[in-house]
Amino acid sequence: MEILVALGEIYEADRLIPVSSAQIAGVSYTSLGDDGIEWLESLEGAHVTIPAVLNPAGMDLENWRRMEVDPEYARKQIRIIEAYKRLGVRPLCSCTPYLLGMVPMLGAHVAWSESSAVCYANSVLGARTNREGGPSALASAIIGKTPNYGYHLDENRKAGLIIEVEVELKTISDYSALGYWAGKLAGSNVPYFKGLKGVDSVRLKALGAGLGAGGSVALYHVKGVTPEHKTALVERVERHQFGEVELREVYTNYFKPIPDRVDLAAIGCPHASLDEVKEVAELVKGRRIKDDSRLWVFTSIAVKRMAERCGYLDIIRAAGGEVYADGCMALAPLKDMGIEKVAVNSSKAAFYTRLLAKVDAYFGDLRQCIESVIER
Ligand code: F3S
């Protein structure tokens, strides 16, 4: 309660309002460290009062040995999950809680942490959340409330700039590139996109992740698509154009293009949907990953189980790849596993894998990622 009241005072909230779910960051041992474990364990006795799930951990909680994670790291990671479980938090680690069945309704107030999940909740579902830190999301999960400020208020959900998309976006990574570019421009403003055609939930997931990584965008609108687009436009906002030149610029100037050979192609930032896993399976079917390279798809435990049932997992494994639940390429101890060069199809993954996992990250589309690890 002290955390929530302090936040409310800083942001001049008029009151605390009820929230219906929480998604809590601060889960991987990489980001939490020993002090974080101690703090979490000191909360013993408290219990969440609303449905609450976790952000990705640093490893697959069941298959960390297959990932070749150091047992000492794994021991600490499991200690973190156990501490959350004692607080009543569901040990489901994903940045796509909406693919785990946590789908808030239009206008519902929630307390979610991970930036792409926040973007999805606010923009695609029309729910309302600020970009919560791990401790404030956990506090909301326990108290069942959040301070009423920021994106919980109508006046902060209006568009601050218009982005006119003048190029055809062909791949999911193109949406990710647009998001990153627009995020840099928008900062913490609310962008309104015009000219996007053929969008679906996977593309919007990629767009939001890019926006949250390039800037600190928590909400966007897409003309004719997202639920609040009709009420979002205000007069006299600046307009920007995103064309072929800007799209290429993200791939070549902001990030490095994918070379012929990498140690790891990592797909699933944000966590892969079932259709994305299927696409990977189709691309590797009957082919073989090079002996000195790896192909990992990161997703939630729910999607992994569905992929298993659909046979996609068998196809990816037969090619020498793997689908991991719970983890994230940017939060995994890649360097300790001898991984130096990583190909990704997500601008967010390229940004954070370089920043947090401290490896060389290369950005391209899914096909390029796969080809960089396929045996010829
Ligand atoms: Fe999710 Fe990790 Fe990407 S938390 S959005 S897979 S950087």
Side-chain angles (χ1 to χ4, degrees), residues 151 153-161 189-192 219 221 228 230-234 237:
Y151 296 99
L153 304 174
D154 288 343
E155 61 264 35
N156 297 322
R157 300 181 67 87
K158 306 287 181 203
L161 71 162
N189 234 321
V190 179
Y192 182 103
L219 165 66
H221 305 286
E228 293 172 66
K230 282 191 182 147
T231 52
L233 268 188
V234 287
V237 290

Side-chain angles (χ1 to χ4, degrees), residues 31-51:
S31 56
L32 214 53
D34 292 325
D35 292 343
I37 298 182
E38 262 180 49
W39 181 74
L40 264 184
E41 290 178 342
S42 76
L43 299 175
E44 184 118 23
H47 206 277
V48 301
T49 55
I50 55 173

Side-chain angles (χ1 to χ4, degrees), residues 51-287:
V53 295
L54 295 170
N55 211 33
M59 61 184 205
D60 186 315
L61 298 179
E62 291 167 8
N63 294 304
W64 55 269
R65 283 188 187 83
R66 195 193 283 255
M67 267 181 104
E68 295 172 24
V69 173
D70 172 50
E72 184 55 17
Y73 182 99
R75 196 180 62 77
K76 296 203 166 162
Q77 183 61 79
I78 289 164
R79 218 173 117 190
I80 292 168
I81 302 299
E82 290 303 320
Y84 276 119
K85 270 167 77 177
R86 286 195 293 277
L87 296 173
V89 179
R90 297 170 183 171
L92 302 172
C93 306
S94 181
C95 44
T96 57
Y98 44 90
L99 297 180
L100 285 170
M102 187 178 265
V103 188
M105 304 300 284
L106 180 67
H109 297 278
V110 298
W112 288 16
S113 295
E114 197 280 319
S115 65
S116 77
V118 165
C119 253
Y120 197 94
N122 274 323
S123 317
V124 183
L125 303 176
R128 297 181 172 217
T129 179
N130 289 315
R131 281 173 54 137
E132 298 293 344
S136 66
L138 178 57
S140 287
I142 292 168
I143 302 293
K145 294 188 174 182
T146 193
N148 189 32
Y149 72 96
Y151 296 99
H152 294 285
L153 304 174
D154 288 343
E155 61 264 35
N156 297 322
R157 300 181 67 87
K158 306 287 181 203
L161 71 162
I162 294 174
I163 296 177
E164 294 165 338
V165 180
E166 297 174 338
V167 57
E168 188 192 351
L169 303 182
K170 298 192 178 114
T171 61
I172 290 167
S173 57
D174 285 351
Y175 280 82
S176 181
L178 166 63
Y180 193 83
W181 181 89
K184 281 210 160 304
L185 200 67
S188 58
N189 234 321
V190 179
Y192 182 103
F193 292 96
K194 284 184 168 178
L196 285 178
K197 296 185 187 78
V199 271
D200 58 13
S201 61
V202 170
R203 282 160 181 79
L204 293 177
K205 166 166 86 72
L207 177 65
L211 284 163
S216 49
V217 173
L219 165 66
Y220 64 88
H221 305 286
V222 179
K223 187 179 179 197
V225 175
T226 53
E228 293 172 66
H229 79 102
K230 282 191 182 147
T231 52
L233 268 188
V234 287
E235 279 177 24
R236 284 198 292 279
V237 290
E238 44 180 81
R239 287 170 182 267
H240 300 266
Q241 284 75 38
F242 181 82
E244 186 68 43
V245 173
E246 288 75 18
L247 178 61
R248 287 297 124 220
E249 195 179 81
V250 180
Y251 283 106
T252 52
N253 294 6
Y254 292 8
F255 299 105
K256 290 189 265 182
I258 297 177
D260 289 341
R261 204 211 139 268
V262 294
D263 300 317
L264 167 69
I267 311 302
C269 172
H271 273 176
S273 67
L274 188 61
D275 284 338
E276 288 174 288
V277 182
K278 176 176 180 255
E279 216 181 322
V280 173
E282 285 169 353
L283 286 169
V284 300
K285 191 169 185 176
R287 304 174 82 192

Side-chain angles (χ1 to χ4, degrees), residues 285-323:
K285 191 169 185 176
R287 304 174 82 192
R288 188 74 211 150
I289 310 296
K290 291 175 201 157
D291 285 345
D292 58 352
S293 298
R294 299 170 225 210
L295 167 66
W296 291 350
V297 182
F298 287 96
T299 190
S300 60
I301 186 71
V303 169
K304 181 174 174 178
R305 292 277 189 270
M306 289 192 284
E308 201 165 6
R309 173 77 60 90
C310 293
Y312 309 146
L313 202 52
D314 282 346
I315 296 172
I316 294 171
R317 280 189 180 152
E322 187 52 71
V323 177

Side-chain angles (χ1 to χ4, degrees), residues 27-32 55-61 63-64 67-70 73-74 77 264 266 268 271 294 296-298 324-340 342 349 352-360:
V27 179
S28 81
Y29 176 63
T30 311
S31 56
L32 214 53
N55 211 33
M59 61 184 205
D60 186 315
L61 298 179
N63 294 304
W64 55 269
M67 267 181 104
E68 295 172 24
V69 173
D70 172 50
Y73 182 99
Q77 183 61 79
L264 167 69
H271 273 176
R294 299 170 225 210
W296 291 350
V297 182
F298 287 96
Y324 286 121
D326 318 306
C328 153
M329 65 283 282
L331 299 169
L334 297 182
K335 265 206 148 36
D336 299 346
M337 303 173 193
I339 293 168
E340 298 280 348
V342 182
Y352 281 109
T353 305
R354 194 167 55 192
L355 188 77
L356 301 177
K358 308 216 177 327
V359 294
D360 288 334

Side-chain angles (χ1 to χ4, degrees), residues 5-28:
V5 169
L7 271 173
E9 282 172 355
I10 292 167
Y11 292 103
E12 299 180 350
D14 59 347
R15 63 203 155 100
L16 292 172
I17 50 171
V19 282
S20 55
S21 66
Q23 190 258 358
I24 303 163
V27 179
S28 81

